[in-house]
Structures are given as structure tokens and as C-alpha cells.
Amino acid sequence: MIRAQPDLVPDGAERFAVLAREYRPALKRFFGKRARQPADVEDLVQEVLLRLAVRGDWDSIGQPEAYLMRTATNVWRDYLRKKETRAEDGHEEFTEGHLWAEHGPPDEVEGIESVDAVLGALAELPERTRQVFVLCRVEGIRQKRVARRLGVSVSAVEKHMIRAIAHLASSLGGR
């Protein structure tokens, strides 16, 4: 790998630009071997370069290549941790067709005459609120696990549930 000569390059933005050009191909190879989605590779490279830019004092780094690869490893670990927390691979898209196909209707709607009314009321909810309600009440997942799966706090899940139940009660209360 060709190294930039520190004495020939001004400090600041130009030094960072030289380092970014020099190490971008190596970073792309590093993440290209690991990431499933090609679109994620460029995002991960940008994250490494951003961390390098925030650090700023490149002259104090004894081995810039080792430092950069250590940063890339940390970015990769953070990326995997975030994917696990948000359970992106295990997410199943919400559709009306399979809402009750496997489990049957939940207890809250057994007495309601029209399933269409329930689906209509659910459709009126904000997406995240509807998602929380379906995960908790239809799929029977505990609020703590839903919070981990969606990457939000348990308190946020509770607030979404309160909002969903209140909306369903007011929308379907006269039935």
C-alpha cells in the first residue's frame, strides 16, 4: 500500500482526503468480504472515515494502517450488534392476510362482529404503534422482548400499547 508522505501533505481536510483515498479500497475489501448487502459496504466505509475525521490528530497515530483496521473491526462489531438488537433478519412484514391466519383472533376481538372493522382501526394507527400492538397482542411476544427487537425502550412499547388500545376501544366501542 502506498503511504502518504506526512511532510508533503498539509494538515486538516487535505490530510484526511489523502488518507481516505489511500485506505478506501482496503476498507471496501474488508467490509465486502463480511457484509451481505453491497449497499452496507459503502455505509460502513463512511463510518470508519467519519470516526477517523472526528479523531483528527493523525500525526499522533503510530501505525495508521493498524489503527484504521482496528476502527473498521469496531465499526463491524457495532454494525452486527445493531442488526441483532433490531432483529432485522427476523422481521416479518405486517400484512392483513396473515394477521390471524396462524393464531386465530386475539381475545380482545372475539366478540366483535366484523374483523374488517378491527383491521380498519389497526390501519389508522401509526406504523410503529400498529407494529408494537401486533407483536404484543397477536403474536404474544412480551413487551421487554418487543422493545429489544425494535430497538426501543420498554416504556416506549408501553406507550404504544396504551395508544393502540385506546384507539381500538374508541373506534370499536360502539360494536
Side-chain angles (χ1 to χ4, degrees), residues 39 43 48 54 70 76 91 94 104 117 122 124 136 152 158-159 170:
D43 291 342
V48 171
V54 169
R70 170 53 95 186
W76 179 248
H91 177 69
F94 172 79
L122 284 173
E124 294 170 354
C136 289
V152 298
E158 290 170 351
K159 289 174 186 173
S170 68

Side-chain angles (χ1 to χ4, degrees), residues 16-19 32 44 64 70 75 84 97 99 109 113 124 129 132 135 147 164 166 168:
F16 174 74
V18 169
L19 288 171
L44 293 165
R70 170 53 95 186
V75 166
E84 182 180 317
L99 181 61
V109 296
E113 295 176 11
E124 294 170 354
T129 303
V132 167
L135 289 172
L168 290 170

Side-chain angles (χ1 to χ4, degrees), residues 93-111:
E93 192 68 29
F94 172 79
T95 61
E96 289 182 26
H98 80 278
L99 181 61
W100 291 303
E102 292 181 25
H103 306 289
D107 295 340
E108 288 81 4
V109 296
E110 281 183 1

Side-chain angles (χ1 to χ4, degrees), residues 147-165:
R148 275 196 315 257
R149 183 172 177 177
L150 298 178
V152 298
S153 67
V154 175
S155 174
V157 170
E158 290 170 351
K159 289 174 186 173
H160 284 292
M161 284 300 297
I162 291 168
R163 188 176 304 135
I165 292 169

Side-chain angles (χ1 to χ4, degrees), residues 2 31 34 43 51 55 122 133 142 146:
I2 301 171
F31 291 121
R34 291 162 176 78
D43 291 342
R51 289 185 187 187
R55 184 164 195 303
L122 284 173
F133 180 81
R142 294 180 182 258
V146 170

